[in-house]
Amino acid sequence: AEITRFPASSERLSSVALSPDGRSALVGADGAISLWNLATGEEIHRLAGSTGKLLTIAYAADGQSALSAGEDGTILAWNLETGQEKWRRSLAQTDIWTLAFSADGKLALTGGENHNVILWDLATGQELRHFNGHQDAVYATAISPDNTTILTGSADRRGILWDLATG
């Protein structure tokens, strides 16, 4: 049975994510992300700052931060307690299709149209490593719970398991 319905958006809803504790949700439409309290159905924050079409959003394991990214190549890190942007990074001319957090919330992976997978330090927003091996857009990324391997999937019809430390 239906539990909650969110107000209609003037744009299509393009990405959603449930918090790790199941108490809140991120709902993204083109250019806007809302953080909702699932018990009350109230909007907690509107996360402003996206400049292009939103393609993906994800919660960190602690539920206190999130990442969003889209077709303009901009990755945004959010503080969900305040609704404020922590940092932003722009990757020239590439859609970002997928985000994945490490279990400890210290690292993230992005993958996109440029065939590239990038490992990020979430405290600083700095790129740590590039994983190059796909021949087409990367649509899926995952980090193992022990931070030793990553798994990526691409439109090139290949999945690649990588050593996180060496790429």
Side-chain angles (χ1 to χ4, degrees):
E2 186 176 297
I3 298 171
T4 300
R5 187 174 290 216
F6 301 102
S9 169
S10 62
E11 304 289 335
R12 69 181 175 88
L13 295 184
S14 56
S15 191
V16 298
L18 287 170
S19 65
D21 66 7
R23 294 174 155 180
S24 63
L26 292 165
V27 177
D30 293 346
I33 303 168
S34 293
L35 175 63
W36 294 91
N37 179 315
L38 295 179
T40 66
E42 294 177 11
E43 186 178 50
I44 300 167
H45 294 297
R46 182 167 292 268
L47 309 179
S50 290
T51 57
K53 182 162 81 173
L54 179 72
L55 298 175
T56 184
I57 52 180
Y59 272 94
D62 67 5
Q64 303 304 308
S65 57
L67 290 175
S68 66
E71 71 176 5
D72 65 352
T74 301
I75 302 160
L76 293 146
W78 301 99
N79 177 326
L80 297 179
E81 288 292 305
T82 65
Q84 299 298 308
E85 183 182 309
K86 289 184 188 180
W87 53 260
R88 82 173 44 218
R89 298 293 178 268
S90 293
L91 303 175
Q93 301 174 337
T94 188
D95 296 356
I96 308 291
W97 289 101
T98 179
L99 300 166
F101 276 95
S102 61
D104 63 9
K106 295 179 181 179
L107 305 170
L109 282 176
T110 58
E113 198 65 35
N114 66 356
H115 316 177
N116 222 350
V117 176
I118 301 172
L119 180 69
W120 298 88
D121 178 317
L122 290 176
T124 64
Q126 297 303 307
E127 295 180 29
L128 297 176
R129 185 165 295 109
H130 285 245
F131 299 84
N132 301 308
H134 285 292
Q135 303 303 311
D136 207 337
V138 176
Y139 292 111
T141 54
I143 303 175
S144 65
D146 63 1
N147 288 351
T148 60
T149 57
I150 67 168
L151 181 61
T152 60
S154 168
D156 66 9
R157 300 184 188 135
R158 293 185 306 149
I160 300 176
L161 184 66
W162 306 83
D163 182 291
L164 185 72
T166 63

